Amino acid sequence: MTSTQATKSTFTTRTNLALAAAAAATTSDIKYRVLYLKLHGVAATTRAILAISGAEWESIYPTDWAVQKKQVPLGVMPVLYETHQESGLILEIPESEAIERYLARKFLLFGQDLWEETAINVFYSSSNAVMAHYVTKVLLAFPDTKSRELEKFVTKEVPAWIEQHEKWLGRNGLNGHYVGDQLSIADIRSVICLDRYISLPECKGLFSDEKTPGLFKLKSTLEQNERYWAWIHSQDFEDINASTRQRLAVLSG
């Protein structure tokens, strides 16, 4: 499900009734494309949500980013293109968190009311903040500070994340969800973060059925979703995995 073609920018901040109606639509004639590198990175959660939704979608990759950078809103990736095939209308959305929240609302991954949405946002934002810390302070650290920053991350940031999230998952009954008994964007984002941390040799010993029962239940519950399971075992996912491993090896230096 991959392509290398992007679309001319259609992003606008002006009030438009047609765009508003399209954004609220969930009809079967909608197709999604995610423009990003062949890496998990900040597109991982968007791709997971689309896979879980059952919508028609594909990953597309830049062919000449120096040129395409000038054609997309804000000059950054990822960008989501939502094409309404019957009308030809295309919604274009930049910025990973804006995309994720948009899709979460569209596919009912933000709870049943404003309070549940707020609670879900709390845990979603918390996991995002820890992952952002890992990327900026560890992966992108200068070589002479990388090992020190990694040690701080593993001994301080990850344990604090575990402690707080285990507490609240426990208060929700260890049922595999943060809020109520429903799948949410917070569940998805935290599992993606968890999988990354588990892969770090330095994190060995921080995670186990005994030490992190809530997070492991969160992970196992999400992996029982047939569409998510199919996505993480697909060839597309494995190709992105391979590219991501190569990139991480370079950054880990």
Side-chain angles (χ1 to χ4, degrees), residues 88-100:
L89 183 64
I90 299 175
L91 304 185
E92 182 182 34
I93 307 171
E95 292 291 344
S96 59
E97 290 189 25
I99 293 168
E100 291 161 14

Side-chain angles (χ1 to χ4, degrees), residues 27-32 56 82-89:
T27 55
S28 60
D29 78 321
I30 301 174
K31 180 177 180 179
Y32 299 88
E56 182 180 357
E82 177 182 303
T83 301
H84 294 250
Q85 299 179 78
E86 184 174 338
S87 66
L89 183 64

Side-chain angles (χ1 to χ4, degrees), residues 45-218:
T45 303
T46 291
R47 290 171 177 147
I49 292 172
L50 287 169
I52 290 167
S53 76
E56 182 180 357
W57 72 283
E58 65 177 344
S59 290
I60 60 175
Y61 307 116
T63 53
D64 188 344
W65 180 236
V67 173
Q68 290 171 272
K69 181 181 177 72
K70 301 174 183 178
Q71 299 172 343
V72 301
L74 306 185
V76 298
M77 294 184 285
V79 178
L80 176 71
Y81 298 102
E82 177 182 303
T83 301
H84 294 250
Q85 299 179 78
E86 184 174 338
S87 66
L89 183 64
I90 299 175
L91 304 185
E92 182 182 34
I93 307 171
E95 292 291 344
S96 59
E97 290 189 25
I99 293 168
E100 291 161 14
R101 288 188 168 98
Y102 171 76
L103 292 175
R105 289 190 180 94
K106 175 160 281 199
F107 296 123
L108 307 179
L109 297 170
F110 247 142
Q112 301 180 47
D113 54 48
L114 182 58
W115 181 252
E116 287 192 352
E117 178 177 328
T118 300
I120 289 166
N121 251 321
V122 166
F123 299 110
Y124 166 77
S125 298
S126 171
S127 290
N128 268 350
V130 177
M131 179 57 77
H133 184 103
Y134 170 68
V135 172
T136 58
K137 297 294 186 179
V138 179
L139 278 184
L140 301 181
F142 290 112
D144 59 335
T145 64
K146 190 178 290 287
S147 60
R148 183 169 68 251
E149 291 297 335
L150 177 58
E151 181 181 3
K152 287 165 57 179
F153 180 73
V154 170
T155 59
K156 181 180 177 182
E157 302 299 332
V158 176
W161 180 73
I162 290 172
E163 179 183 2
Q164 293 302 320
H165 286 247
E166 282 295 326
K167 176 177 69 178
W168 288 101
L169 288 165
R171 289 183 181 181
N172 198 41
L174 292 178
N175 66 352
H177 303 291
Y178 281 105
V179 177
D181 58 359
Q182 61 201 317
L183 177 64
S184 74
I185 186 176
D187 301 355
I188 297 167
R189 183 59 183 151
S190 289
V191 169
I192 289 170
C193 293
L194 174 63
D195 283 339
R196 176 61 191 138
Y197 304 150
I198 289 175
S199 73
L200 296 174
E202 293 82 1
C203 283
K204 185 178 181 181
L206 293 180
F207 300 97
S208 69
D209 288 328
E210 294 74 27
K211 294 179 180 179
T212 52
L215 288 166
F216 273 30
K217 178 62 175 178
L218 195 73

Side-chain angles (χ1 to χ4, degrees), residues 211-231:
K211 294 179 180 179
T212 52
L215 288 166
F216 273 30
K217 178 62 175 178
L218 195 73
K219 175 177 168 64
S220 66
T221 299
L222 180 59
E223 290 177 350
Q224 288 171 23
N225 182 290
E226 293 182 0
R227 289 170 176 166
Y228 182 74
W229 182 258
W231 163 237

